[in-house]
Amino acid sequence: MWHLLSSVNKFKVIFAIQIIVMSKILIIGAGRSSSSLIDYLLLQAKENTWQITIADADRNAVEAKITNYTDIATAVEFDVTNALLREKLIAHADFVISMLPAFMHADVAKDCVRLGKHLATASYVSTEMRELDAEAKQKNILLLNECGLDPGIDHASAMKVIHHIKSIGGKITGFKSFCGGLVAPESNDNPWGYKFSWNPRNVVLAGQGTAQFIDNGHLKFIPYNRIYTQIQTIELEGYGKFDGYANRDSISYKEPYELTDTTTMLRGTLRMPGYCKAWNVFVKLGLTDDTYKIKNADSLTYTQLIESFLPDGNAPVKVKLIAFMGTEMDEDVLTKLEYLELFSNKPILLKEGSPAELLQHLLEEKWLLKPGDKDMIVMQHQFEYQLNGAYKQLNSSLVVIGDNEVHTAMAKTVGLPLAISVKNFLTGKFKLYGVQIPTVKEIYEPMLEELETLGVKFMEKEII
Amino acid sequence: MWHLLSSVNKFKVIFAIQIIVMSKILIIGAGRSSSSLIDYLLLQAKENTWQITIADADRNAVEAKITNYTDIATAVEFDVTNALLREKLIAHADFVISMLPAFMHADVAKDCVRLGKHLATASYVSTEMRELDAEAKQKNILLLNECGLDPGIDHASAMKVIHHIKSIGGKITGFKSFCGGLVAPESNDNPWGYKFSWNPRNVVLAGQGTAQFIDNGHLKFIPYNRIYTQIQTIELEGYGKFDGYANRDSISYKEPYELTDTTTMLRGTLRMPGYCKAWNVFVKLGLTDDTYKIKNADSLTYTQLIESFLPDGNAPVKVKLIAFMGTEMDEDVLTKLEYLELFSNKPILLKEGSPAELLQHLLEEKWLLKPGDKDMIVMQHQFEYQLNGAYKQLNSSLVVIGDNEVHTAMAKTVGLPLAISVKNFLTGKFKLYGVQIPTVKEIYEPMLEELETLGVKFMEKEII
């Protein structure tokens, strides 16, 4: 058929192909982590004949981002509760990228599968997403998930090494992987070594639930009440040491990572040294609880709030807290707490909120990325494997420093893998349907290659 | 109208009155806590011209309970997921008593309000129940809740004292109330001093969330991770000492208890001394987590399960656990853990379960009420008040011992207040509609009076 056409009229054939590859991309949600994603897609839009619609609650903010691209891109005001508008927007698109909070993806995904549109997100595959897999596969619809940083780049970069070691006959016995969204050394001007480069709520609630992993063949569980006390030290040449704590269910990644022989399997989160010991104070107090509201919170100070979680006694709050924490308290922890003005009768400015919300409100003031501040992404995979009878260790590490407080390393590393993979799918670099995550070569190989050209490059180091 | 009728034909009038007061009572759920409720209602049915339908998953068990009352009572096999049958049964009743697990009450209540039937439960008023209040009031439908033991008898007996102190001009400044479903001294033959007299699942999950109370005018919070470490000692003449720990949100009871001047407000749970210190081991380990499932649990022993929650190390599990608990471990705690065979490689017999479910499975074997075993209910209210310029303290205490492992003190104290109040409503002793709890005099006064005749009697003691 192609031969026939091309022999008849070459011009017409080219025209037909261009019609076929022109794609309408819909981005829902243009918050903190979307800047690099949007920039990348806008830059590539003309070449790929994309039309881009960006739907967000703050239409003006989107308009500002697309001023130079009004021929390619359109801003739409979008209320996430407006199901009719969501459906209408999705119906007009070919490919939907959802940057909404994770719990909202399911509704978008249902619309996409029903209306025959592809979808990509940077979030974990939910049960509801998983349930759409069969129908999506049957309709040749892609539901690409876990395609940001963590999850995302971690999967891709780990699988690259795993596939390589296996291809040379190695047997992987141990896998640990750590990732943290931190602050760059040059912008690290508070004792916590932390500023918010992504959703502050997720940082305050981080670690809730029970971490599950395998250590030397033994099933291991760490509940939330001591997740910040059982830390490992991770070292990165040129960047020093970090605290690593176990994160969520690592065991469930044995299968997608094809690590059947692995007797150690751990995924973890990185923080600056000392962060975990200090954060543990909040966990032990109960200040990260998000299950109930404190009414008339604005009649309290943060000092009174701390006191309400402490056992009785007439001593000053600081003295009581030191006694309460016992050996879990030290000078460094105290410095961090004092930086937050916890003992200075600082008033709470929220009328009502859960303890976690009240804490978040304070931290958003204290841990703000200031103009010019740079954030930093650190990731390290640690492999143990046997090759030709020898025991080997290999570390694969990534450091990405942000440009500034808007074009953060977080926005780059969350947005670029997603944007690149959407491009790769639309340009036919991979043809996979149903629920996918970037553990498969067709997805991760071109993604990692292009990420390297954009400065997101892993360094491998043989330890043994 | 009555005068006219009665002058025409006295016989007919009497007949008409009997028709009016005849009531069809539906009891949904006939489990562990229902025995006394059912016995009471069956005994009173003839006199009050009640027809009683008892719907339960186990129809045979119900048949056995009603063999002597086949003219009055009917057993119906009932699957809680069968909404059509539920609706049909409710449509045929005048008054519904739901003894189902608390989360199932909402569906029953919705049917009741829609179909114009009264409802009583022994459970806390849920948000969904609260939302039915206006419609129920408007339709003259009673939705009686919190009318068991705790909540139930606690409300009634506390309010009786509160109203009395107020009536003589007293000002209540402090209120603490403790309740526990325990084992009677004569049947206390395990080191925990505990056997299951009610839902084992609730015992394993007890304390989850954050306890909220007021202490000397200060808001106080205790999160789950240390609820079993911050205990108070409660003493009861003739019964010795008990551990008391704070329970749920005590503050929300200030208003229904009319305790506007009270600067201390605490509701708590009682256990035998030492129970809390030992249970804290499970909390700290993470063994009471119910949020995830451990697969292939039957390939593990309880000793391996404990080990999976412990930090690394080559020492035996018991040694590691002692080191892990530090000062929170002692000989008594160890005796309790050893009684559960936690260090004896006892196999887990469940294929899959959350840590809480696996622990529950073990405890159901170890904490079983054996034939002839008696349980014990202990309740104590502690009042502080000012009267004529003097500071006063008053304790009001209740102890109920069960008859045996079926007619438990728990079944009595949960079922009788409910049964009595249903009778009092049906016989016109109180006329209240909408969502009610037994804090109002019309409900609690006749309830407590009759409970006294049945052996449920509070002893008051002036401390100062």
Side-chain angles (χ1 to χ4, degrees), chain B residues 27-198:
Chain B
I27 303 169
I28 311 185
R32 212 186 284 249
S33 298
S34 307
S35 59
S36 299
L37 170 95
I38 293 172
D39 286 356
Y40 179 96
L41 292 174
L42 289 174
L43 267 172
Q44 304 253 346
K46 200 155 265 172
E47 186 185 330
N48 293 288
T49 62
W50 293 333
Q51 279 294 328
I52 299 173
T53 304
I54 305 173
D56 192 79
D58 187 350
R59 185 182 165 159
N60 290 339
V62 178
E63 297 276 14
K65 285 177 185 173
I66 61 171
T67 38
N68 298 325
Y69 298 92
T70 45
D71 51 332
I72 294 159
T74 318
V76 177
E77 190 165 319
F78 179 64
D79 170 3
V80 289
T81 62
N82 188 338
L84 269 180
L85 177 59
R86 187 185 67 220
E87 200 179 321
K88 196 179 140 195
L89 288 169
I90 292 174
H92 278 83
D94 299 306
F95 203 117
V96 179
I97 302 172
S98 175
M99 297 296 279
L100 296 171
F103 74 93
M104 295 182 181
H105 293 326
D107 288 336
V108 175
K110 280 173 202 158
D111 286 348
C112 284
V113 171
R114 187 163 38 83
L115 299 167
K117 314 297 181 175
H118 308 290
L119 171 69
T121 84
S123 302
Y124 285 100
V125 175
S126 63
T127 310
E128 286 150 307
M129 188 68 75
R130 178 76 59 207
E131 283 166 1
L132 294 166
D133 180 54
E135 190 183 345
K137 278 206 173 77
Q138 186 244 318
K139 288 184 168 178
N140 280 4
I141 297 301
L142 172 67
L143 298 175
L144 179 62
N145 290 277
E146 308 193 13
C147 201
L149 166 63
D150 169 14
I153 291 179
D154 56 347
H155 295 338
S157 53
M159 289 315 295
K160 184 183 161 186
V161 178
I162 290 166
H163 284 153
H164 172 70
I165 291 174
K166 287 190 169 187
S167 74
I168 57 171
K171 182 177 149 182
I172 299 168
T173 55
F175 173 72
K176 294 185 184 180
S177 176
F178 296 90
C179 183
L182 307 167
V183 63
E186 57 263 48
S187 302
N188 183 0
D189 54 14
N190 82 47
W192 289 82
Y194 199 85
K195 297 187 183 185
F196 289 121
S197 59
W198 63 303

Side-chain angles (χ1 to χ4, degrees), chain A residues 99-114:
Chain A
M99 298 296 280
L100 295 171
F103 74 92
M104 295 180 182
H105 293 326
D107 288 336
V108 175
K110 280 172 202 159
D111 285 349
C112 284
V113 172
R114 186 164 38 81

Side-chain angles (χ1 to χ4, degrees), chain B residues 223-297:
Chain B
Y224 181 59
N225 70 47
R226 53 196 167 87
I227 195 75
Y228 289 97
T229 67
Q230 286 179 240
I231 55 167
Q232 312 197 12
T233 300
I234 278 75
E235 196 160 2
L236 215 84
E237 227 176 284
Y239 295 89
K241 292 178 177 171
F242 300 90
D243 285 354
Y245 66 89
N247 182 19
R248 295 169 170 247
D249 177 10
S250 301
I251 303 165
S252 64
Y253 284 88
K254 260 189 90 126
E255 204 183 300
Y257 279 22
E258 303 163 25
L259 290 172
T260 38
D261 301 319
T262 304
T263 54
T264 291
M265 179 92 201
L266 171 69
R267 299 173 84 236
T269 299
L270 294 179
R271 293 287 182 262
M272 291 294 184
Y275 177 101
C276 291
K277 190 167 185 180
W279 189 263
N280 182 50
V281 175
F282 298 146
V283 175
K284 193 169 172 183
L285 280 172
L287 262 179
T288 58
D289 194 329
D290 194 45
T291 60
Y292 64 98
K293 303 282 183 191
I294 298 176
K295 283 167 195 164
N296 304 316

Side-chain angles (χ1 to χ4, degrees), chain A residues 209-210 212 215 219-221 223 225-226 230 283-286 289 292 294 300 307-312 324, chain B residues 209-210 212 215 219-221 223 225-226 230 283-286 289 292 294 300 307-312 324:
Chain A
T210 291
Q212 306 172 47
D215 185 33
L219 205 57
K220 284 288 172 189
F221 302 102
N225 71 46
R226 52 196 167 86
Q230 285 179 241
V283 175
K284 193 169 172 184
L285 280 172
D289 194 329
Y292 64 98
I294 298 175
L300 297 172
E307 187 160 30
S308 69
F309 284 92
L310 284 169
D312 274 349
F324 171 74
Chain B
T210 291
Q212 306 173 46
D215 186 32
L219 206 56
K220 285 287 171 188
F221 302 102
N225 70 47
R226 53 196 167 87
Q230 286 179 240
V283 175
K284 193 169 172 183
L285 280 172
D289 194 329
Y292 64 98
I294 298 176
L300 297 172
E307 187 161 30
S308 69
F309 284 91
L310 284 169
D312 275 349
F324 171 74

